[in-house]
Amino acid sequence: MNFKKLSLLLLLSFSTSIAFANDNNDPIKNKKEDKTKETIVGVAASNKNFSTLVAAVKAANLVDVLNGDGPFTVFAPTNDAFNKLPQGTVPSLLKPENKKLLGAVLTYHVVAGKFDANAVVKAIKANNGKFVIKTVQGNNLTAMIKNGNVLLKDAKGNISKVIMTDVEASNGIIHAIDTVVMPQ
């Protein structure tokens, strides 16, 4: 009799653990899954460190482009990166009359295709320490490694450091950078 009770108890606990393992109503699990389904714009908009970038994308009318199928790799400047620009630069770029210039600056941070951190590092190493990346804007960025950090050199010779990598989005990937890169 005790053996039957023990068997029933084990069967019940096994069934319960399977039910919990398959629970689709777990809000934490579902929130993580929803996050990866957001586009690049949605992911950036959900992070307060990219509020200036999101405002700029809206001002340049690039939301639909960056919500598109992609895939895209975005080297996304943080708010601190935008704050490094000379005083008055960001408000000036956000003016309607500067929409074309703002669009050029923003698309200079975008690469067609999805390149995670491993792919970028492999490309740098495979190309003698420097990898030239053609941006959607048309100018090149040069990626390199120095002191264990991936750096981007823009068309004007300025350097930006990649400070966060591989933020997944449904239509690409985001790498955060500490300085706004500028096209020619």
Side-chain angles (χ1 to χ4, degrees):
M1 190 83 148
N2 284 340
F3 181 75
K4 281 186 177 180
K5 285 183 182 180
L6 181 60
S7 296
L8 184 60
L9 184 60
L10 284 172
L11 181 62
L12 180 61
S13 67
F14 180 73
S15 299
T16 304
S17 65
I18 289 175
F20 282 118
N22 290 325
D23 185 85
N24 289 328
N25 295 320
D26 182 349
I28 295 171
K29 179 181 173 190
N30 289 339
K31 181 145 179 99
K32 286 179 185 175
E33 288 173 357
D34 289 346
K35 190 77 141 173
T36 60
K37 292 178 183 171
E38 291 183 30
T39 64
I40 287 170
V41 175
V43 171
S46 70
N47 185 322
K48 66 181 180 178
N49 292 311
F50 295 117
S51 61
T52 305
L53 175 63
V54 172
V57 166
K58 289 177 182 177
N61 288 335
L62 291 173
V63 172
D64 289 341
V65 173
L66 292 175
N67 276 338
D69 291 338
F72 303 108
T73 299
V74 177
F75 294 100
T78 62
N79 293 343
D80 290 339
F82 280 103
N83 290 336
K84 289 181 180 180
L85 293 172
Q87 190 172 11
T89 301
V90 173
S92 177
L93 284 171
L94 294 176
K95 291 181 179 178
E97 61 267 23
N98 292 325
K99 187 165 94 173
K100 186 176 180 180
L101 175 60
L102 178 60
V105 170
L106 292 174
T107 57
Y108 188 58
H109 290 80
V110 180
V111 177
K114 183 177 177 182
F115 303 99
D116 65 14
N118 285 334
V120 172
V121 169
K122 281 182 185 178
I124 293 168
K125 290 179 178 180
N127 289 282
N128 298 319
K130 290 186 180 181
F131 181 62
V132 177
I133 305 164
K134 185 163 184 99
T135 68
V136 170
Q137 183 269 346
N139 283 160
N140 294 328
L141 286 170
T142 303
M144 62 196 99
I145 299 174
K146 185 173 183 182
N147 297 327
N149 296 304
V150 173
L151 305 176
L152 299 175
K153 185 166 123 181
D154 68 19
K156 296 184 176 191
N158 299 311
I159 302 291
S160 180
K161 181 169 68 171
V162 177
I163 56 174
M164 183 173 57
T165 62
D166 296 343
V167 179
E168 292 283 336
S170 63
N171 61 342
I173 198 161
I174 301 170
H175 305 298
I177 58 175
D178 72 347
T179 305
V180 176
V181 290
M182 293 294 205
Q184 203 71 357

